Amino acid sequence: MTKNFFYSLAIVLALCFSSSITAQSVSPVHIGIKAGANFSDMSTSLKDYNSKSATGWGLGAMLRVNIKRTYLQTELMYTEKNVKFEGLDTQETTTMKNLEVPLLIGYRVLKLPAFHLRAFGGGVYSNTVGDNFKSKDISGVFDNFNKDNLGYRVGLGVDILSFTLDVSYDGGFRNVSKSHKSKPQAWMVSLGYFFL
């Protein structure tokens, strides 16, 4: 009974393994979901405040098109990024709720049937759909808040069958405030799954 169970389980896993490889090899277009944690900071020219990294999260959908060892990938992500500001008499953690659309080009450094090692980079457009700056002591600092931002992303990732694991760094090209220099930056670790 026990042996039969393990034999059956091994057969099912083998079928899933082979079908996943076949599905990946047939179509160059893949659609999936991803989620992860981000660790955000903000470079700033403010004299009265220092910023420190804080943890946030993100989730969304992704579309990848394979072109031999190269691929193109775009995503639609909802993220909440937190930044801690410290002043002489105050310490506040602010939250920015963003919609992000990266457009990335990647290359498979190592391409095996069930395992890929990737490097990627590209641009990211983000729009801040909500924040809590006005409820904080630093509200006056971001009165001229720029809700649209363009940035860049670089990273490394691995694919194991239909699962993906990415580590990436985002930097901003533009200041988030129109009154002083303040650019967002973040590390993100994400796990994804391609269901198509």
Side-chain angles (χ1 to χ4, degrees):
M1 180 88 178
T2 304
K3 286 186 178 180
N4 290 337
F5 172 77
F6 283 111
Y7 286 147
S8 301
L9 181 61
I11 292 171
V12 170
L13 290 175
L15 290 173
C16 291
F17 182 85
S18 60
S19 63
S20 178
I21 294 176
T22 303
Q24 288 184 358
S25 62
V26 170
S27 174
V29 179
H30 302 286
I31 299 173
I33 55 176
K34 66 183 298 185
N38 59 62
F39 310 91
S40 304
D41 199 351
M42 193 175 293
S43 63
T44 178
S45 62
L46 294 172
K47 296 181 180 180
D48 298 331
Y49 293 95
N50 293 318
S51 66
K52 289 189 175 182
S53 177
T55 305
W57 59 275
L59 59 86
M62 54 184 175
L63 170 68
R64 182 185 295 178
V65 180
N66 294 326
I67 309 168
K68 296 184 178 179
R69 294 178 77 102
T70 306
Y71 67 90
L72 298 175
Q73 182 165 314
T74 186
E75 303 166 4
L76 178 59
M77 297 288 294
Y78 171 81
T79 65
E80 291 196 2
K81 294 182 175 179
N82 300 315
V83 178
K84 185 182 295 184
F85 287 92
E86 293 182 347
L88 294 176
D89 301 317
T90 183
Q91 178 175 305
E92 300 287 358
T93 299
T94 61
T95 300
M96 291 180 291
K97 302 176 181 180
N98 301 326
L99 287 178
E100 298 181 352
V101 182
L103 181 58
L104 308 170
I105 183 169
Y107 183 78
R108 295 179 183 85
V109 180
L110 179 62
K111 185 179 180 182
L112 301 175
F115 178 85
H116 300 155
L117 173 63
R118 303 174 282 105
F120 57 88
V124 183
Y125 167 76
S126 63
N127 178 265
T128 302
V129 295
D131 63 76
N132 64 349
F133 288 133
K134 291 184 179 180
S135 65
K136 302 296 184 179
D137 291 340
I138 62 169
S139 59
V141 176
F142 290 93
D143 284 343
N144 296 316
F145 188 67
N146 191 348
K147 293 185 179 296
D148 294 302
N149 206 299
L150 291 174
Y152 62 90
R153 175 173 297 174
V154 291
L156 295 173
V158 296
D159 300 330
I160 303 175
L161 296 178
S162 296
F163 293 92
T164 69
L165 176 65
D166 289 349
V167 178
S168 60
Y169 174 81
D170 289 8
F173 288 131
R174 298 167 55 182
N175 295 314
V176 298
S177 175
K178 299 176 183 178
S179 59
H180 60 273
K181 294 180 180 180
S182 188
K183 293 182 178 179
Q185 51 197 23
W187 287 93
M188 185 168 184
V189 180
S190 62
L191 180 66
Y193 177 75
F194 284 110
F195 54 81
L196 180 64

